[in-house]
Amino acid sequence: MARAKICYLHIGAEKTGSTSIQAFLRANRHRLTGHGYLFPRTPGEDNQPALAAYAMKDSSRRNLMAQVGVRSDAALERFQKEFSADLLAEVAKTAPERIVLTNEHCHSRIETVEELERLAVLLHSVADEVRVIFYIRRQDKAATSLYSTALKVGQWRKKPNLAIKGELPISFDYWRTCELYASVFGKQAMRVRLFDRDQLVGGDLIADFCDALEMPAGQDWIVPDSKNQSLGRLGQRFLAAFNQKRQDRFGEQSEHYRMALVRMLDKHFSGKGIKPSQAAAKAFLSHFEAGNEKVRATYFPDMPFPLFGDDFSMYPEKEDTWMPGVFMAFDAGARLFVEQQKEIDRLKAEVAALKADDES
């Protein structure tokens, strides 16, 4: 089988616009093909968790495995065989010059050389060269932004979690990830980029990602709206309260109801969320100072120390303990109720139109 010239593997990190990048790739799949780029469907239509799942040695990472329908080690082995065969077949059918793959779990779930080498063997079977695109963001900002994500997946804590116990979490230990990927693919394969408007090409993430992929400039790309935005403080408080009591109050269908609520909150209550204090943010970032300096010296030698700057003015001096007042909470509930009724009316009209078409 003829191999592609280059495989671009985008690995995140988390909270660096991965969802927007994936939406862009999905929206432009056919346009990309016209320029010799394959964004394959085998790993996923947009986000591609099959890539990280393929690398796993067992099925212990249940959240990841659930995304690819794996529930046992035997099922994982079958999945890995089928996935590799299907990906090879899709590449062979298309015969692209370049391949684009993306999944932020490749950063936050792949932790060992053994796991990454399993994925590397597969990627090198479809491409002569692998380039790793890795966006990084100052850790305190990423952790604060992750608070909304934690609420969306069902947690109910009242503030961002900036506590670290034991080993540094790989989600924020960028140097550890750089070392891991460089050890398998080589330092020359690394394309580390800063998720910072002042550092992005044209101040725009999609333009910067296109630059990383060496895509032709001036194309009529489809650029979807920003995805996975953070909830504002009211949305965060509302969702945290729902998550905490959902099982007791809403029964077996609570998760179904919760996901509908998340979609409505995303649409109507996005904005600036609850922030930690300046002291907490500085303390969290201090855990990563040594690693960040290694990243700067290795991949950004012309940038001044510290890599991400030292501005903490976006945080309050004291911990944000804001809670909505009674009327504000009532207003939020009323707005959500009205939006739900609008959606019901829309669906009823859609059903009526379909029935009318069938009868005509």
Side-chain angles (χ1 to χ4, degrees), residues 1-217:
M1 182 190 80
R3 296 189 297 179
K5 180 182 176 182
I6 301 171
C7 175
Y8 300 93
L9 176 62
H10 168 242
I11 64 171
E14 293 185 359
K15 305 312 297 181
T16 60
S18 296
T19 305
S20 293
I21 286 173
Q22 290 154 4
F24 167 79
L25 290 170
R26 179 172 184 169
N28 291 279
R29 182 173 267 117
H30 294 299
R31 287 176 172 80
L32 289 166
T33 301
H35 292 285
Y37 290 77
L38 171 66
F39 181 45
R41 285 185 165 88
T42 297
E45 285 292 326
D46 36 40
N47 191 9
Q48 299 179 320
L51 296 168
Y54 179 83
M56 297 294 103
K57 65 179 180 179
D58 58 48
S59 59
S60 59
R61 292 188 175 274
R62 295 183 180 179
N63 290 341
L64 174 60
M65 293 301 149
Q67 295 181 52
V68 294
V70 169
R71 293 182 174 82
S72 67
D73 289 350
L76 175 60
E77 186 175 352
R78 289 194 299 271
F79 160 79
Q80 290 169 331
K81 289 179 180 178
E82 292 171 1
F83 173 71
S84 59
D86 291 346
L87 181 61
L88 287 168
E90 185 175 3
V91 173
K93 180 179 179 180
T94 310
E97 181 180 350
R98 301 169 189 240
I99 300 169
V100 186
L101 301 170
T102 173
N103 181 243
E104 58 271 28
H105 292 322
C106 288
H107 159 232
S108 60
R109 299 295 186 272
I110 297 177
E111 300 188 42
T112 68
V113 170
E114 177 188 3
E115 291 170 334
L116 188 55
E117 283 182 340
R118 184 178 295 109
L119 180 60
V121 169
L122 176 62
L123 299 187
H124 281 302
S125 72
V126 297
D128 294 331
E129 178 186 352
V130 176
R131 297 182 185 175
V132 180
I133 301 173
F134 185 32
Y135 282 93
I136 59 176
R137 181 184 189 184
R138 204 173 80 181
Q139 286 89 343
D140 56 286
K141 295 181 179 180
T144 300
S145 184
L146 271 171
Y147 177 53
S148 278
T149 301
L151 294 175
K152 290 177 185 180
V153 300
Q155 296 183 25
W156 52 271
R157 62 176 183 262
K158 297 299 189 293
K159 61 182 180 180
N161 181 17
L162 271 64
I164 292 181
K165 298 179 181 179
E167 185 178 33
L168 296 181
I170 196 168
S171 297
F172 305 114
D173 192 350
Y174 303 143
W175 176 244
R176 180 179 165 192
T177 296
C178 287
E179 279 194 304
L180 173 62
Y181 274 82
S183 72
V184 173
F185 293 106
K187 180 186 172 184
Q188 77 286 347
M190 301 301 294
R191 302 293 188 272
V192 185
R193 303 176 83 97
L194 298 180
F195 184 73
D196 183 310
R197 187 176 298 277
D198 293 337
Q199 301 297 327
L200 297 172
V201 172
D204 179 79
L205 175 62
I206 300 303
D208 193 90
F209 184 70
C210 289
D211 180 74
L213 264 59
E214 302 171 297
M215 285 205 233

Side-chain angles (χ1 to χ4, degrees), residues 213-265:
L213 264 59
E214 302 171 297
M215 285 205 233
Q219 300 302 307
D220 187 22
W221 303 115
I222 299 172
V223 181
D225 294 335
S226 297
K227 303 291 183 180
N228 198 21
Q229 300 182 72
S230 292
L231 295 174
R233 294 194 299 177
L234 180 56
Q236 288 177 341
R237 292 301 193 207
F238 197 102
L239 185 54
F242 184 93
N243 288 347
Q244 186 175 10
K245 300 294 184 181
R246 67 185 186 276
Q247 197 66 43
D248 294 339
R249 298 193 63 183
F250 305 108
E252 295 180 357
Q253 291 295 313
S254 63
E255 186 60 16
H256 172 69
Y257 302 147
R258 198 184 69 78
M259 293 309 300
L261 175 62
V262 168
R263 290 191 292 272
M264 294 178 69
L265 290 172

Side-chain angles (χ1 to χ4, degrees), residues 290-308:
N292 287 350
E293 173 55 17
K294 291 177 181 178
V295 173
R296 186 202 66 80
T298 304
Y299 297 102
F300 304 95
D302 296 331
M303 292 192 66
F305 171 87
L307 175 61
F308 297 108

